[in-house]
Amino acid sequence: TWIRDWFQKDLLVCSGLGAEQDPLQAADKSESGTLEGEEFVLFYKALTQREEVLSLFQDFSEDGKKLTLLELVDFLRQEQLEDEGTEELAMELIDKYEPSETARARHVLSADGFLMYLCSPEGSIFNPRHQALWQDMSQPLCHYFISSSHNTYLIEDQIRGQSSIEGYIRALKRGCRCLEVDCWDGPNGEPMVYHGHTFTSKIPFREVVSTLGKYAFKTSDYPVILSLENHCSMEQQEVLAQQLKTILGEQLLTTTTDGRVPTQLPSPEVGTVRLHWGSTAPVLAECCETVLPPPSTGTQCSSALQKDKESLAQALSDCVVYCKSVSFQGFQEARHHSRPSEISSLSEAKARKLIRDAGNEFVRHNAWQLTRIYPSGMRTDSSNYNPQEMWNVGCQIVALNFQTAGTEMDLCDGLFSQNGRCGYVLKPPFMRDERTLFNPNWFGCSWGPCPFLQVISGQQLPKVANRKDGEVIDPLVRVEIHGVPADQARQETKYIENNGFNPHWDETLQFQLHVPELALVRFVVEDYDKTSRNDFVGQFTLSLGVPPVGYRHIHLLSKDGTSIPPSSLFVHIRITEPPGPEQD
């Protein structure tokens, strides 16, 4: 009876099967209320059997019981579009995922082994090759999107929220490479970090720097960008500089890579042992307050300050190496009077206006100089703007409130989940060309590839929080495309009533893309509700620039971006190229 109690409590209720679908009752052939021998085997198979996977297996298996090596090769080539070293890959998959020693010796894959492969990293929608560093990291910093945080010290809202070094630890573990620090005079000559003129709590600057030195390169070996917003007196600026140099030591970048006055930005590879702090543009550029925004590069640190020369302590000024912060006065002014090693910071509203009025000029500007975007000061709840529109024009440092879950942070995590999660993603070639004609706002009649996304089934979807005991979810799947304006789209499946355990949709959603290199796809599972807003169940977001094709599992993430195993979706992806001129 404990099996029945456990199953009904933890699987039927939490994962979502109605009582009439109870596989425990179906397996109890003797109607004794307990499972004996073969009855337990029936029960186990009822839990684990996947009819849609078995049907696919049998499509490629001549006898319906096994896949020979050649049959597995056929599946990998025809469906998964594996075209290099396919036989070697097939052997590896058999050796890795076939549970039967006898089958492994015969180089065949059973239905159980086939399912294990499809549920593995090799069968994931996220290309396992991109879990490692795979992009060119030798180009200047302005050629990369850089994972960036706003008000990193806050873990709640910007009015009364708590300031904590935990905010820095969380951001760094998430792959963030640009951190913000708001510095104010503190008691006993010790600078403090908090959101000025609010009721947020305070933490010593010394603790922030110590945390940075400890955690900066746990997740990534590449540069950390420290954006210092400086509101300190001359005396405490001296303390800022002293603490940076003393605590970070050789981790702090204090000279250019060639020992000369900086004219060009270094690559993320600058220094692989030390920490780099580069300077970013003023975070509070719209205010009269001065800002100390330094973007770090590589494994060394360089700091950037935005203070009037007469009010900036020399010791702190000496910490500035790359990315001197300059006020943005227009693209032409920047081209004639700014250096590639300098940086400007823009509010989201200013950036949005430039995108609307001068999209191509913005892309060209970002091909040679860094731009930092920060949220509106009106976002007192630490909400986020849409980062996609900033990435569409090549803005590198798009600062978000990492403590606030939602679509915006899902997009951020999706973009930076590739390239070994190092926090740097190389921009497409047409965004690295200073003479590019690319404008995200205009495409005329040009067309790109057409993805077909078949949403087949779901597996063990979690119960929605705060639901009544015994209540089962009615899941639907929404697929969203985030990219240039012409590519923005969303479609959703029907909802499946009372089944979060193994819902089947078998619906194909079709999209048309213009710029797949900038597109992100977000899969969202929701609990349908007729009378109120649907409840969030799980999501997964990834880049469409290099999508995997074929039959794939999507391993869902929670609202805060953490995994929720074993919840997943099973999908089939195929992409067709646009018709040639002769077919138009």
Side-chain angles (χ1 to χ4, degrees), residues 163-311:
S163 300
S164 171
I165 59 171
E166 185 64 29
Y168 292 96
I169 296 173
R170 292 176 184 176
L172 288 167
K173 287 184 175 180
R174 210 163 176 170
C176 183
R177 295 287 88 188
C178 180
L179 311 171
E180 186 178 23
V181 188
D182 290 0
C183 305
W184 298 80
D185 280 357
N188 304 317
E190 284 281 336
M192 304 298 289
V193 174
Y194 67 102
H195 203 236
H197 309 301
T198 68
F199 299 100
T200 60
S201 59
K202 305 175 182 180
I203 50 177
F205 179 75
R206 179 189 302 275
E207 291 186 12
V208 173
V209 180
S210 296
T211 300
L212 178 64
K214 183 176 180 180
Y215 289 94
F217 305 107
K218 295 284 189 182
T219 300
S220 169
D221 291 333
Y222 288 95
V224 171
I225 297 169
L226 186 62
S227 178
L228 293 176
E229 186 174 315
N230 176 24
H231 303 277
C232 291
S233 63
M234 293 290 285
E235 292 76 16
Q236 294 208 12
Q237 286 182 48
E238 295 281 352
V239 178
L240 291 177
Q242 184 267 333
Q243 291 181 352
L244 284 171
K245 295 175 181 178
T246 301
I247 297 173
L248 292 174
E250 291 189 358
Q251 287 184 310
L252 184 67
L253 181 69
T254 55
T255 61
T256 56
T257 54
D258 59 5
R260 301 177 181 177
V261 174
T263 55
Q264 301 290 331
L265 285 169
S267 78
E269 292 180 334
V270 56
T272 53
V273 177
R274 296 181 297 165
L275 172 68
H276 263 215
W277 302 46
S279 63
T280 70
V283 173
L284 303 178
E286 294 181 324
C287 305
C288 296
E289 304 170 26
T290 57
V291 183
L292 167 56
S296 307
T297 69
T299 32
Q300 302 179 339
C301 276
S302 71
S303 350
L305 314 173
Q306 183 218 6
K307 267 228 170 203
D308 296 335
K309 291 182 179 178
E310 60 272 19
S311 60

Side-chain angles (χ1 to χ4, degrees), residues 229-419:
E229 186 174 315
N230 176 24
H231 303 277
C232 291
S233 63
M234 293 290 285
E235 292 76 16
Q236 294 208 12
Q237 286 182 48
E238 295 281 352
V239 178
L240 291 177
Q242 184 267 333
Q243 291 181 352
L244 284 171
K245 295 175 181 178
T246 301
I247 297 173
L248 292 174
E250 291 189 358
Q251 287 184 310
L252 184 67
L253 181 69
T254 55
T255 61
T256 56
T257 54
D258 59 5
R260 301 177 181 177
V261 174
T263 55
Q264 301 290 331
L265 285 169
S267 78
E269 292 180 334
V270 56
T272 53
V273 177
R274 296 181 297 165
L275 172 68
H276 263 215
W277 302 46
S279 63
T280 70
V283 173
L284 303 178
E286 294 181 324
C287 305
C288 296
E289 304 170 26
T290 57
V291 183
L292 167 56
S296 307
T297 69
T299 32
Q300 302 179 339
C301 276
S302 71
S303 350
L305 314 173
Q306 183 218 6
K307 267 228 170 203
D308 296 335
K309 291 182 179 178
E310 60 272 19
S311 60
L312 181 63
Q314 186 62 45
L316 196 53
S317 177
D318 289 344
C319 292
V320 180
V321 179
Y322 293 109
C323 305
K324 174 187 176 183
S325 177
V326 295
S327 176
F328 180 78
Q329 303 296 329
F331 296 121
Q332 293 302 316
E333 178 74 12
R335 172 55 77 179
H336 290 99
H337 297 97
S338 293
R339 296 177 178 179
S341 59
E342 296 174 332
I343 183 172
S344 296
S345 193
L346 306 173
S347 69
E348 60 172 288
K350 176 66 173 178
R352 219 173 269 123
K353 185 177 188 306
L354 292 172
I355 293 169
R356 183 175 61 249
D357 297 343
N360 174 251
E361 285 186 274
F362 210 166
V363 177
R364 291 186 175 193
H365 175 82
N366 287 324
W368 66 275
Q369 192 176 73
L370 286 170
T371 301
R372 182 181 190 273
I373 311 298
Y374 58 90
S376 165
M378 301 300 291
R379 295 184 180 273
T380 56
D381 59 351
S382 293
S383 61
N384 281 311
Y385 56 86
N386 178 9
Q388 185 68 52
E389 57 185 333
M390 312 303 175
W391 294 328
N392 287 343
V393 290
C395 294
Q396 305 88 347
I397 301 177
V398 179
L400 298 178
N401 292 303
F402 271 46
Q403 73 272 32
T404 305
T407 302
E408 297 81 12
M409 277 307 301
D410 292 345
L411 296 178
C412 182
D413 287 340
L415 175 64
F416 292 104
S417 63
Q418 59 183 312
N419 203 30

